[in-house]
Amino acid sequence: MSEDSEEEDYSDRTISDEDESDEDTFMKFEDFHQCALLTANSISDPFFPRTTQILLEYQLGRWVPRLREPRDLYGVSSCGPLSPTRWPYHCEVVDEKVQHIDLTPPHSEPVYIPTGLEIEPLYANSKEDAVVYLAEDAYKEPCFVYSRVGGNRTPQKQPVDNCDNTLMFEARFESGNLQKVVKVAEYEYQLTVRPDLFTNKHTQWFYFQVTNTQAGIVYRFTIINFTKPASLYNRGMRPLFYSEKEAKTRNIGWQRIGDQIKYYRNNPQQDGRHYFSLTWTCQFPHNKDTCYFAHCYPYTYTNLQAYLSSINNDPVRSRFCKIRVLCHTIARNMVYVLTITTPLKNADSRKRKAVILTARVHPGETNSSWIMKGFLDFILGGSHDAQLLRDTFIFKVVPMLNPDGVIVGNYRCSLAGRDLNRNYTSLLKESFPSVWYTRNMIHRLMEKREVILYCDLHGHSRKENIFMYGCGGSDKCKALYLQQRIFPLMLSKNCPDKFSFSACKFNVQKSKEGTGRVVMWKMGIRNSFTMEATFCGSTLD
């Protein structure tokens, strides 16, 4: 929950027109000539109240009071480390820092073409099978209790009996997700992914490490507890793979690999629910390598903080991109908000219309973070188009709405065990702080200027291409009916090989009334969208 009290609520402040100027409205400490800086309670004069919130600067023979900057207002700093990630206290976390190189494949990666001969492994529970990995932290508490920096630090686990040919698994790192691994044959492993914390569902995201590999051996991996009846894995999508040795020696990052890929319904479990399995085979490129598998390209909270820190330390980009803390999550991680515009010192900035972009409300939809990064790279760049957009609009950007879920490796929910994108109408600020403060920030912004566009970035697990959900309008009002379709149509014209206008939908289902798209539309933003990006690829080119 947010740490701010009712009397001193700084976390949802938007930047004022004065804040959009080139220079800070407060002079820096070093700008004063022969001045002193004291807190009010260090002065014995009864004229000054006893407080640490007022700073006293001695200028031209007199004390000048001003308010101290709110703590954690900026969130990122050029001096000192990033704010540490906070985990539920019981989550086991290894000390190892996982890092990957960012590299776009030079060519489009081919999809898997099913042969019709893919087998469907069905595993019976056997006491003879060796459990080689087990993360027991998921069910120690029925709900979130409190957080600690870094979680419950623990050493890495070793394989059973230190068998030379047994793979070692690990997922107790940021955004990792793997609950259990059973070795069912010499080179075959049955995997179970962890549901979202404090729920018993949403098994979709996986991200884990494999070590003690042998090159040239065909391994089979089968994840057995998915709940969605359909998947892009049956339409050509392959699991993502990363080799540290390939990254170091050949500068190859994440790549799609795998053969014998199949997504199928397996035998029902004891609770009567039907589960679905994903199976694939692969060969590791090196002996004794450290490798990773993931559902989609990982983008962690630490990745975001490092990116924002690079912006903050850049003397050019930091002039027109102001980074603030919107609020704190339940686990007391920071939710950042960026204000991007060309700074002006006159009243013309009041005429600028606003654009709102948000992402990563669902933590397993990592493609939304990569789209957000691509947008920020562009809008903060030096192109004439970016400069024109900054001169014309004010962009409010919340790049990661659910950092708690991202950190622990959830697919859909926050640590409240709820889908934040169904709770934009909720008044429970302490339970859903990021969406509460986002809605509040947008409401206050709309009182000052027109918001012409709201777009929430997502990923889609069962459809190809990129498309949008809008809110539509009454058929009786053709202007309103057509208005919602203009921006998606523009996108399809500008990006015909990726964006599908025919896949867009413009309606409001009852089950979606708590989403950001619908709530912002009802608040008065006519162009209010959810942008969905496939986990797989494009069928348009």
Side-chain angles (χ1 to χ4, degrees):
M1 68 185 73
S2 172
E3 69 179 1
D4 305 302
S5 65
E6 294 296 326
E7 293 79 19
E8 191 173 286
D9 191 358
Y10 297 108
S11 56
D12 63 337
R13 285 177 29 178
T14 57
I15 294 182
S16 66
D17 294 317
E18 289 78 18
D19 291 324
E20 292 159 7
S21 63
D22 286 354
E23 300 175 2
D24 206 337
T25 54
F26 293 112
M27 294 182 68
K28 295 187 174 81
F29 174 78
E30 58 266 26
D31 294 333
F32 292 108
H33 178 63
Q34 293 183 346
C35 71
L37 190 63
L38 302 171
T39 57
N41 65 354
S42 65
I43 304 294
S44 59
D45 192 326
F47 171 78
F48 295 107
R50 293 183 61 82
T51 176
T52 59
Q53 297 304 308
I54 297 178
L55 296 178
L56 304 173
E57 295 163 344
Y58 194 72
Q59 304 179 57
L60 303 177
R62 63 189 182 93
W63 291 98
V64 178
R66 69 172 175 87
L67 286 176
R68 182 193 298 271
E69 286 284 7
R71 185 173 52 186
D72 291 334
L73 178 63
Y74 293 92
V76 292
S77 174
S78 58
C79 54
L82 299 173
S83 175
T85 57
R86 301 186 67 93
W87 300 64
Y89 81 95
H90 60 279
C91 286
E92 295 181 344
V93 184
V94 296
D95 287 328
E96 179 187 14
K97 299 297 183 184
V98 175
Q99 293 182 325
H100 306 296
I101 63 171
D102 295 339
L103 186 70
T104 303
H107 307 287
S108 297
E109 296 179 292
V111 298
Y112 175 72
I113 307 298
T115 64
L117 302 177
E118 292 82 6
I119 65 172
E120 300 180 0
L122 298 176
Y123 301 108
N125 293 327
S126 173
K127 295 182 178 179
E128 297 179 0
D129 294 334
V131 176
V132 297
Y133 177 81
L134 180 63
E136 299 179 310
D137 61 291
Y139 307 104
K140 287 185 177 180
E141 297 287 355
C143 62
F144 176 77
V145 180
Y146 67 90
S147 65
R148 64 168 57 155
V149 172
N152 180 18
R153 292 292 179 176
T154 185
Q156 287 187 305
K157 296 179 178 179
Q158 300 299 317
V160 174
D161 299 328
N162 290 319
C163 298
D164 290 341
N165 62 351
T166 298
L167 295 177
M168 297 171 60
F169 294 81
E170 186 56 78
R172 296 168 299 160
F173 46 78
E174 189 175 355
S175 295
N177 187 316
L178 185 65
Q179 179 65 27
K180 183 180 179 180
V181 181
V182 178
K183 184 177 182 181
V184 295
E186 188 71 14
Y187 303 108
E188 188 167 347
Y189 295 84
Q190 171 191 305
L191 291 74
T192 303
V193 296
R194 174 183 55 73
D196 284 6
L197 282 183
F198 317 121
T199 77
N200 62 355
K201 51 187 178 179
H202 306 304
T203 51
Q204 185 75 24
W205 169 255
F206 62 88
Y207 174 31
F208 58 88
Q209 180 192 89
V210 180
T211 55
N212 200 35
T213 62
Q214 296 182 64
I217 300 294
V218 177
Y219 290 89
R220 177 177 290 277
F221 301 93
T222 305
I223 300 175
I224 64 170
N225 66 326
F226 289 125
T227 55
K228 289 189 176 182
S231 172
L232 287 168
Y233 286 111
N234 274 345
R235 301 172 71 168
M237 189 165 86
R238 286 176 152 140
L240 267 169
F241 172 79
Y242 186 95
S243 161
E244 288 193 354
K245 287 189 176 180
E246 287 286 276
K248 185 176 181 179
T249 59
R250 301 176 58 194
N251 200 39
I252 294 177
W254 288 98
Q255 54 186 319
R256 297 281 183 180
I257 70 162
D259 292 300
Q260 297 293 309
I261 301 170
K262 189 161 188 177
Y263 189 92
Y264 59 96
R265 176 173 162 175
N266 60 34
N267 47 322
Q269 301 298 310
Q270 293 181 354
D271 58 6
R273 298 171 62 189
H274 289 290
Y275 290 90
F276 299 82
S277 292
L278 167 66
T279 189
W280 74 93
T281 62
C282 70
Q283 298 185 46
F284 295 105
H286 301 282
N287 289 320
K288 303 299 181 181
D289 196 3
T290 298
C291 301
Y292 297 84
F293 288 99
H295 179 57
C296 192
Y297 302 90
Y299 192 96
T300 66
Y301 183 58
T302 298
N303 291 149
L304 173 67
Q305 288 191 306
Y307 182 74
L308 296 183
S309 184
S310 69
I311 295 173
N312 192 65
N313 296 338
D314 188 318
V316 176
R317 293 184 295 172
S318 61
R319 290 183 63 247
F320 44 76
C321 179
K322 303 302 181 183
I323 304 171
R324 300 291 187 268
V325 173
L326 179 69
C327 64
H328 289 75
T329 64
I330 294 177
R332 305 198 59 70
N333 290 299
M334 295 178 182
V335 178
Y336 298 98
V337 59
L338 283 59
T339 301
I340 302 169
T341 193
T342 301
L344 286 177
K345 295 183 179 180
N346 53 42
D348 289 343
S349 63
R350 293 183 181 274
K351 300 177 183 178
R352 293 182 182 176
K353 299 178 182 180
V355 175
I356 311 291
L357 275 82
T358 61
R360 210 65 183 277
V361 70
H362 295 148
E365 297 171 5
T366 60
N367 38 8
S368 69
S369 280
W370 290 106
I371 292 175
M372 177 62 79
K373 181 181 182 299
F375 165 76
L376 292 174
D377 286 343
F378 165 76
I379 202 66
L380 298 177
S383 69
H384 292 298
D385 286 343
Q387 180 66 53
L388 177 62
L389 287 168
R390 295 194 300 264
D391 292 344
T392 308
F393 300 106
I394 293 176
F395 293 88
K396 289 284 187 178
V397 178
V398 184
M400 189 173 286
L401 281 161
N402 191 354
D404 289 352
V406 171
I407 289 168
V408 302
N410 279 1
Y411 174 65
R412 194 168 186 86
C413 295
S414 70
L415 293 183
R418 300 281 292 277
D419 184 344
L420 292 179
N421 201 35
R422 298 296 183 272
N423 286 280
Y424 273 89
T425 58
S426 175
L427 300 178
L428 301 177
K429 178 169 67 171
E430 290 77 14
S431 298
F432 314 113
S434 60
V435 296
W436 190 96
Y437 277 96
T438 298
R439 183 189 64 196
N440 191 49
M441 179 266 291
I442 295 174
H443 177 74
R444 295 180 62 178
L445 187 64
M446 292 176 69
E447 294 177 345
K448 298 170 57 178
R449 63 184 79 249
E450 180 184 355
V451 176
I452 63 165
L453 175 69
Y454 166 88
C455 187
D456 188 25
L457 306 181
H458 284 255
H460 205 286
S461 65
R462 287 179 285 184
K463 293 183 179 181
E464 292 95 347
N465 307 312
I466 300 175
F467 53 94
M468 278 182 157
Y469 294 137
C471 299
S474 172
D475 293 342
K476 299 178 182 179
C477 179
K478 290 186 178 180
L480 192 60
Y481 178 84
L482 293 174
Q483 181 180 348
Q484 275 275 302
R485 290 157 174 77
I486 293 174
F487 186 66
L489 182 62
M490 291 167 59
L491 286 178
S492 69
K493 299 295 185 182
N494 286 323
C495 194
D497 60 333
K498 296 180 179 64
F499 192 95
S500 171
F501 182 75
S502 62
C504 298
K505 295 181 179 180
F506 304 91
N507 54 40
V508 178
Q509 299 171 284
K510 187 173 181 60
S511 62
K512 304 294 180 66
E513 290 182 348
T515 63
R517 161 178 63 99
V518 176
V519 170
M520 302 310 161
W521 179 66
K522 290 183 176 179
M523 284 171 55
I525 302 176
R526 293 298 90 192
N527 294 295
S528 183
F529 303 101
T530 297
M531 177 184 278
E532 297 279 0
T534 180
F535 280 99
C536 184
S538 170
T539 61
L540 301 178
D541 185 1

